[in-house]
Amino acid sequence: MRLRNCHNFRDFRRMAKQRLPGPIFNYIDGAADDEVTHRRNTAAFESCDLVPNVLRGVNGIDMSVTVMGQKLGMPVYCSPTALQRLFHHEGERAVAAAAARFDTMFGVSSLGTVSLEEARRISGGPQIYQFYFHKDRGLNREMMARAKQAGIDVMMLTVDSITGGNRERDKRTGFAIPFRLNPAGITQFAVKPSWAINYFLHERFRLPQLENHVDMGGGVMSISKYFTEMLDPSMSWDDVAEMVQYWDGQFCLKGVMSVEDAKRAVEIGCTGIVLSNHGGRQLDGSRTAFDQLAEVVDAVGDRIDVMMDGGVQRGTHVLKALSVGAKAVGLGRYYLFPLAAAGQAGVERALELMRMEIERGMRLMGCSSVEQLTRQNLRFR
Ligand SMILES: Cc1cc2nc3c(=O)[nH]c(=O)nc-3n(C[C@H](O)[C@H](O)[C@H](O)COP(=O)(O)O)c2cc1C
């Protein structure tokens, strides 16, 4: 399969599946428990229909948005995701460069495989640092100071991962960092030798955001131990309020779902929230961001930037989210499969297709700017 034959999410997913060893493909593709929430994330967009207006003069289309003080050339951004150099050797470098080319924002994860400083050098565009809350408060402050120093524009604290989700596909393959594959998993690596050659010919796997603080090398600390031993399940609103003050800039909570929590985010001075269920990878059976969006926008949308992610695969999904009131929409697997399939060229093709779909969709909707997308143009079934 060739990149030029990829026309949508499903094509990129298929190409990634051909290239990746099974355990890695399933790590990206999989979700928690029965993956009900994961499936609903995309299905939710089909619970409503767009109602276009015609004859509106739609020559020039302006799809730019301003969110958390950042002007984005398109209303989608690359949400932070872990371990990208495992999917393709270009990893976060590819995503940073592609985001810059498309004039949009991207996130580097705490579990990123390229340093936030290097990503900063690659992209002059808006950059998010995705952060987890550690038991060691000193470490939290140290990491925020490092991010400030690096010129990070938006601090994003993920709050839906107080413990790891039950990812049964990973249990079956033995996927873990460091690798602890079972025989079936090892066989799946053996049948994808080109991935293995590529992986081993490039620089050593690293987690630069954490390596000064956590030993990932000697098997002393694994990612699952990082979650259970270093992150703080007692994290409270007061702790986060302190962080917001300390950061003193654009600060966003990722994984807020309830109206009550959205209001508290406003109270403690956050400038943004991302409604998200972590791509269905955490609490299975939880509501989707799109289903929950209207309620939250109505409650706090005039006081804080409300974004959403989960299941976005089409330009029309983005149009529906913007119509309900999201300020911008996060992409996860939508850019990860293209990354795995073809590195930077893959991410760029995916963003180009997304840009064309949004532009075409806006034109067909009779909207020349994002503000013209409203709930009047949406009907729930
Ligand atoms: C492979 C993978 C790794 C992820 N790693 C992180 C992470 O390190 N931190 C985080 O906040 N979210 C992480 N996410 C969640 C994404 O940021 C985003 O919320 C989610 O992928 C959106 O759903 P979608 O993949 O259906 O678009 C990850 C998602 C995937 C698929």
Side-chain angles (χ1 to χ4, degrees):
M1 194 169 183
R2 295 276 165 91
L3 188 56
R4 65 170 180 272
N5 300 124
C6 290
H7 301 290
N8 61 35
F9 174 84
R10 285 191 299 280
D11 295 337
F12 288 118
R13 181 177 175 275
R14 203 174 319 126
M15 190 170 162
K17 192 173 185 178
Q18 280 176 4
R19 196 186 154 266
L20 290 174
I24 299 184
F25 173 79
N26 280 302
Y27 169 70
I28 302 174
D29 196 51
D33 293 1
D34 299 311
E35 307 189 351
V36 173
T37 293
H38 174 41
R39 285 191 296 279
R40 174 70 195 163
N41 275 349
T42 302
F45 291 107
E46 286 167 27
S47 58
C48 68
D49 302 302
L50 293 162
V51 183
N53 286 120
V54 295
L55 306 177
R56 295 267 170 126
V58 283
N59 281 345
I61 299 289
D62 176 9
M63 66 172 82
S64 66
V65 292
T66 299
V67 63
M68 289 181 298
Q70 319 302 314
K71 175 122 195 271
L72 312 186
M74 57 196 294
V76 295
Y77 62 90
C78 296
S79 189
T81 55
L83 309 181
Q84 291 176 13
R85 280 205 300 114
L86 208 55
F87 314 148
H88 187 280
H89 66 269
E90 294 171 2
E92 288 83 354
R93 294 178 185 119
V95 178
R101 262 196 83 181
F102 284 82
D103 192 18
T104 191
M105 183 163 74
F106 71 102
V108 175
S109 165
S110 280
L111 298 170
T113 52
V114 164
S115 73
L116 51 113
E117 290 84 359
E118 188 183 343
R120 176 73 301 170
R121 286 193 293 275
I122 293 170
S123 161
Q127 183 174 336
I128 297 167
Y129 178 38
Q130 179 273 321
F131 193 76
Y132 289 115
F133 191 83
H134 303 90
K135 285 180 186 153
D136 180 348
R137 305 295 197 262
L139 176 57
N140 290 333
R141 277 193 295 274
E142 206 180 300
M143 285 176 150
M144 280 200 285
R146 176 178 167 184
K148 235 339 157 222
Q149 181 77 24
I152 294 297
D153 304 283
V154 175
M155 185 57 91
M156 184 177 271
L157 178 69
T158 298
V159 288
D160 61 13
S161 303
I162 208 80
T163 184
N166 177 38
R167 321 236 176 111
E168 293 180 1
R169 294 203 218 180
D170 295 347
K171 287 183 179 160
R172 282 197 195 94
T173 62
F175 180 90
I177 300 291
F179 284 137
R180 256 188 228 102
L181 296 175
N182 57 29
I186 291 170
T187 313
Q188 295 203 44
F189 272 81
V191 297
K192 301 284 170 157
S194 59
W195 178 90
I197 291 166
N198 198 276
Y199 178 74
F200 289 112
L201 283 181
H202 289 90
E203 84 225 60
R204 187 174 61 85
F205 181 82
R206 291 171 53 210
L207 294 172
Q209 272 60 254
L210 299 181
E211 64 193 1
N212 290 341
H213 315 290
V214 179
D215 180 2
M216 292 279 179
V220 182
M221 179 64 82
S222 66
I223 286 189
S224 71
K225 268 202 193 161
Y226 167 69
F227 273 90
T228 50
E229 289 177 14
M230 293 201 57
L231 301 188
D232 191 353
S234 73
M235 162 170 79
S236 69
W237 284 99
D238 289 341
D239 293 319
V240 180
E242 251 178 53
M243 283 182 80
V244 173
Q245 279 201 341
Y246 184 83
W247 177 251
D248 192 23
Q250 298 292 336
F251 196 108
C252 165
L253 296 183
K254 174 171 181 282
V256 164
M257 288 299 278
S258 73
V259 165
E260 198 183 340
D261 286 350
K263 286 183 177 162
R264 292 197 81 164
V266 174
E267 278 161 26
I268 65 166
C270 292
T271 52
I273 48 173
V274 185
L275 305 198
S276 172
N277 53 40
H278 216 106
R281 298 161 76 82
Q282 289 295 106
L283 178 65
D284 196 32
S286 65
R287 196 161 159 82
T288 74
F290 183 67
D291 286 327
Q292 186 66 358
L293 185 58
E295 216 176 286
V296 174
V297 167
D298 289 345
V300 298
D302 55 344
R303 285 176 289 158
I304 194 167
D305 284 348
V306 180
M307 290 151 280
M308 64 141 285
D309 72 33
V312 175
Q313 299 176 1
R314 284 288 185 190
T316 49
H317 297 165
V318 176
L319 298 189
K320 287 177 178 178
L322 296 174
S323 300
V324 175
K327 286 272 158 49
V329 173
L331 305 172
R333 296 176 184 86
Y334 180 83
Y335 77 84
L336 284 180
F337 286 132
L339 172 68
Q344 184 177 336
V347 182
E348 288 185 1
R349 180 160 173 85
L351 289 177
E352 176 62 24
L353 289 171
M354 180 55 82
R355 181 159 71 185
M356 284 183 337
E357 287 188 19
I358 294 172
E359 186 175 322
R360 185 187 305 115
M362 286 178 69
R363 216 168 244 133
L364 291 171
M365 284 293 293
C367 296
S368 45
S369 70
V370 167
E371 301 83 70
Q372 291 169 2
L373 289 162
T374 70
R375 290 186 206 174
Q376 284 184 331
N377 291 108
L378 213 52
R379 290 292 177 280
F380 284 83
R381 292 184 183 179

